[in-house]
Amino acid sequence: MPEFQDPFARTPGNQVPPLAGHNTVTGDAALLDAIRAQTGGDADTVIASLTEVGAVAGSAEAREHGMLANEHEPVFRAVDRYGNRVDEVDYHPSWHWLMDKSIRFGLAGTAWADDGPSPHVRRAAGSVAWSAVEPGHGCPGSMTYAAVPALRADAALAAEFTPGLTSRTYDFGLRPTAEKAGLLAGMSMTEKQGGSDVRSNTTVAAPQPDGSYRLTGHKWFTSAPMNDIFLTLAQAPGGLTCFVLPRVLPDGSRNTLRIVRLKDKLGNRANASSELEYDGAHGIRLGDEGAGVRTIIEMVASTRLDCVLGSASLMRRSVAEATWHAAHRSAFGGLLADKPAMRNVLADLAVESEAATHLGLRLARAVDQADDPAERAFRRIGLPVAKFWVCKRTSFHVAEALETLGGNGYVEESGMPMLFRESPLNSIWEGSGNVNALDVLRVLQRTPEGVDVWRDEVDAADTPELRDGVDEVLKTIANITDPESAQYVARWLAARMAVLLQASLLVRNAPAAVADAFLVSRVLGQGAGVFGTLPAGVDTAAIVRRATPVIP
C-alpha cells in the first residue's frame, strides 16, 4: 500500500517566481531609450538620479505596501472623541510609506525648483517607473506638481506656497502651512450640476473687507482632502474666479471645508476622494475675477500630462507582469513565451506601452523647454491628443495583460486587479474623451500653429507611411465645413494624430522591430483591432525579450 502523502506538504511545480528585485528604470530598455531620446547628452545623469527610484519600485517591499494601501482604504472621521468637528481622513501606514518615498524621489512638485538637467523629463520618467506600484497615491503628487505653475498668476501667493510645494519632505497632518516642511495641493472644481462644465458652477464667493472671500457651495469631487491647500472655482461678483483655500488657517483653526463623504470608487481606492461643502470657507483670490478658467487651466494642463504618464506607467507594469509570467509558466509542452500566439500578444502589448512611454516623455520635454514658442505650441496640441489616446488605450491594454496570467491574474494577490480597476481613471479625469477631442478642435481653430508643430514632429521621422498619414489628417482638417461635422471627426482626429506622433517617436528612437511593428499595425492598419494580431514578419521574439524584466 503506498505511503500517504499530504498534498499540502508538497511544493507545487510550474509556479511563476515573484516579480521582485528588478529595477524599473535601469532594467527597462524602453524607458531608457525614451529618456535618452528626450535628454540627449544629459541622459546618463538623469538615469543615475533615477536608479534608486527604480530599485525601490521593483522591490518586494514596495509591492507589499502597494497592496496593503489598496486593501486598507482611508477612513473618514467627521468628529473627534469629544464631538468636535475635525473633518479628517485616516490612512494606512503603507499609504504614508508610499507618499514619503514619492515626495523624497522628487515626483511631486520638485521639478519646478530642480536645477538639474531636464527636471520635468526626469520626473516624468520617474513617475512612469514608480506610480504603478500603487496608482492612487500619485494623485496628491500630481495635483501638487500642477499647482505650482497655476500659482504664478499671483506673485505673492507663488512666493508663499511654492517652496513647500516643491519640497522633498512629506509632512502629513493638518497644521498652518507656515509651520510645515512640505506642502501638498489639491483641486476642487466639479459640481453636481455641471461636472466638466465648470462654467455652470454655483458655488458663491463673497468679497470681504480684508480682501479675502467667503465661499459657500458644494463640490462633487475633491481628491485627497487632507492636502494643505486647494485651488477651486467659485462665482465672484465679476464671474467665475479661481481661489486658493488653505485647509488650516494661519491661527491654527480649521477652514470650513466640510467633508460630506468619501467616494466609493471603482479604482484609486487607496486615495481618498471626497465631496466637500464650503460653509463660508476662507478663500484667497488667484488671478482676476472672472478669469477662473484661464487661471486654473495651467493646472489642468499639468494634470493632463500626469494622466498620460500614469497610464504609461500602468502599461509598463502590465507588460512586465505579463512577460514575466509567460517567461516562467509552461503550458501545452513549453513556455508560454515561446508559443507564437502568446508571443504575438506580448509583443503587441509591449509595442503599445513603448509608444505611450515615448509620447509621455516627449511632452515632458516640452515643459522643460517652455521658453521655446514651438515647444509651447507642441505641448498645447500634444496634451489633449495624448490624453485622449493613451489613456483610452490603457483599459484594453491592462485587460489583455491580465488575461495572459489567466485565472492567476484575476485574483487580488497578483496585483493585476488593482491595475485593471485603475485603468479607466485617467481617461475620465481632467476631461473625458470627448472633452479632450473637442479641445483638439479648439487648438486647430485658435492656435493653428499647433498643427504646424505637430506636422513637423511627425515629419521628423521622414517615412512614406507617416507622410501619407499627415496628408490624410491635413485633408480631413481642410474638409471641415461646420461645427457639427467637426465634432463628428474630433475623436478620429485626436486618435490619428496621436498614433502618428507615437510612430514618429518610435521610428527615430526605438529598435527597428518595435517601430516596424507599430507602423504596420497602427499606422497602416494591418492589426485587427485587438492585441495579438501583429502580421507575419514582425520580430515578436526580439520585442518580447526586450520587454521581459530581468532580476540580477
Side-chain angles (χ1 to χ4, degrees):
M1 185 173 182
E3 182 180 351
F4 172 77
Q5 291 185 343
D6 182 356
F8 295 103
R10 293 179 297 178
T11 301
N14 196 27
Q15 295 299 299
V16 178
L19 176 54
H22 65 299
N23 191 302
T24 63
V25 174
T26 60
D28 187 334
L31 181 58
L32 291 177
D33 279 353
I35 294 171
R36 294 184 185 109
Q38 304 308 329
T39 61
D42 293 321
D44 288 346
T45 301
V46 172
I47 292 168
S49 75
L50 292 170
T51 300
E52 184 186 3
V53 178
V56 177
S59 68
E61 182 181 21
R63 190 183 186 99
E64 181 68 11
H65 280 299
M67 297 295 288
L68 288 172
N70 265 267
E71 181 181 349
H72 300 281
E73 298 179 22
V75 177
F76 166 48
R77 289 189 297 114
V79 297
D80 65 15
R81 60 182 291 194
Y82 304 106
N84 299 308
R85 190 72 189 254
V86 293
D87 293 283
E88 294 191 10
V89 177
D90 296 328
Y91 295 90
H92 188 269
S94 287
W95 167 269
H96 296 299
W97 185 92
L98 292 161
M99 286 294 300
D100 179 71
K101 290 290 188 291
S102 177
I103 301 298
R104 183 168 66 81
F105 289 150
L107 304 182
T110 303
W112 300 107
D114 190 347
D115 58 3
S118 303
H120 293 279
V121 174
R122 179 202 175 276
R123 176 186 177 272
S127 297
V128 170
W130 172 262
S131 67
V133 169
E134 192 294 302
H137 82 286
C139 184
S142 175
M143 295 187 296
T144 300
Y145 171 74
V148 175
L151 286 168
R152 292 172 181 169
D154 186 301
L157 290 176
E160 178 179 356
F161 295 121
T162 297
L165 295 172
T166 57
S167 169
R168 287 179 181 256
T169 299
Y170 175 56
D171 190 357
F172 181 78
L174 298 182
R175 303 191 306 281
T177 56
E179 299 177 8
K180 302 192 69 175
L183 300 177
L184 294 172
M187 56 196 303
S188 187
M189 295 171 61
T190 59
E191 297 185 4
K192 287 181 284 189
Q193 73 285 346
S196 296
D197 183 10
V198 295
R199 294 186 187 277
S200 67
N201 282 4
T202 62
T203 296
V204 174
Q208 303 299 302
D210 64 357
S212 67
Y213 291 72
R214 293 291 180 183
L215 275 64
T216 303
H218 187 111
K219 293 296 179 179
W220 186 240
F221 242 111
T222 301
S223 192
M226 289 294 286
N227 284 5
D228 300 293
I229 63 170
F230 294 87
L231 272 63
T232 193
L233 296 174
Q235 300 288 354
L240 191 65
T241 303
C242 186
F243 296 91
V244 177
L245 272 64
R247 191 69 163 78
V248 179
L249 301 177
D251 64 3
S253 62
R254 304 285 174 91
N255 204 355
T256 51
L257 283 68
R258 305 302 190 197
I259 299 176
V260 178
R261 61 169 175 162
L262 299 187
K263 298 288 194 179
D264 187 6
K265 299 167 294 182
L266 168 67
N268 205 248
R269 302 194 70 86
N271 177 40
S273 295
S274 65
E275 286 179 49
L276 289 185
E277 285 186 351
Y278 299 155
D279 184 13
H282 172 81
I284 310 162
R285 179 166 52 84
L286 178 63
D288 297 331
E289 282 195 6
V293 173
R294 186 170 69 247
T295 301
I296 208 169
I297 199 67
E298 186 61 38
M299 188 173 192
V300 173
S302 295
T303 49
R304 281 183 176 177
L305 171 59
D306 276 10
C307 286
V308 176
L309 297 173
S311 292
S313 183
L314 290 173
M315 288 193 198
R316 296 306 307 153
R317 180 169 172 188
S318 294
V319 167
E321 298 284 351
T323 55
W324 179 260
H325 179 88
H328 295 86
R329 180 79 168 178
S330 294
F332 308 110
L335 286 174
L336 287 174
D338 293 334
K339 303 297 182 182
M342 178 59 77
R343 196 166 61 229
N344 196 322
V345 170
L346 296 172
D348 215 354
L349 292 171
V351 166
E352 186 77 28
S353 173
E354 189 153 352
T357 300
H358 274 277
L359 183 52
L361 267 62
R362 174 63 185 91
L363 288 167
R365 192 185 98 197
V367 183
D368 275 323
Q369 299 177 351
D371 293 335
D372 184 333
E375 289 297 312
R376 287 200 303 273
F378 177 77
R379 177 174 177 250
R380 178 66 187 92
I381 196 167
L383 278 174
V385 161
K387 167 72 165 65
F388 174 86
W389 182 247
V390 172
C391 299
K392 197 165 289 296
R393 293 288 289 172
T394 304
S395 294
F396 302 102
H397 186 279
V398 178
E400 192 69 55
L402 183 155
E403 189 175 330
T404 66
L405 276 69
N408 292 324
Y410 205 69
V411 299
E412 290 290 339
E413 292 169 317
S414 72
M416 296 303 294
M418 176 183 72
L419 304 183
F420 182 66
R421 285 192 299 269
E422 193 74 13
S423 62
L425 174 82
N426 291 316
S427 192
I428 299 171
W429 254 233
E430 310 314 330
S432 57
N434 281 348
V435 171
N436 279 274
L438 295 176
D439 196 26
V440 173
L441 294 182
R442 191 175 297 111
V443 178
L444 301 180
Q445 179 183 10
R446 297 180 181 178
T447 53
E449 63 271 20
V451 179
D452 297 332
V453 297
W454 170 84
R455 182 196 59 220
D456 292 344
E457 185 76 22
V458 177
D459 283 347
D462 194 25
T463 69
E465 299 94 338
L466 295 183
R467 286 194 294 271
D468 290 345
V470 168
D471 288 343
E472 181 186 23
V473 167
L474 296 180
K475 287 177 183 177
T476 301
I477 295 171
N479 288 332
I480 293 175
T481 57
D482 60 85
E484 186 169 337
S485 64
Q487 290 199 20
Y488 272 110
V489 300
R491 289 168 73 100
W492 180 89
L493 270 176
R496 192 61 174 164
M497 293 173 77
V499 165
L500 294 172
L501 266 180
Q502 290 179 319
S504 178
L505 289 165
L506 292 179
V507 168
R508 287 178 281 154
N509 303 305
V514 174
D516 291 346
F518 193 91
L519 282 171
V520 71
S521 58
R522 275 73 167 174
V523 177
L524 298 180
Q526 293 185 27
V530 294
F531 288 105
T533 57
L534 295 173
V538 171
D539 192 351
T540 56
I543 296 171
V544 173
R545 282 196 303 271
R546 169 180 170 80
T548 304
V550 176
I551 296 179

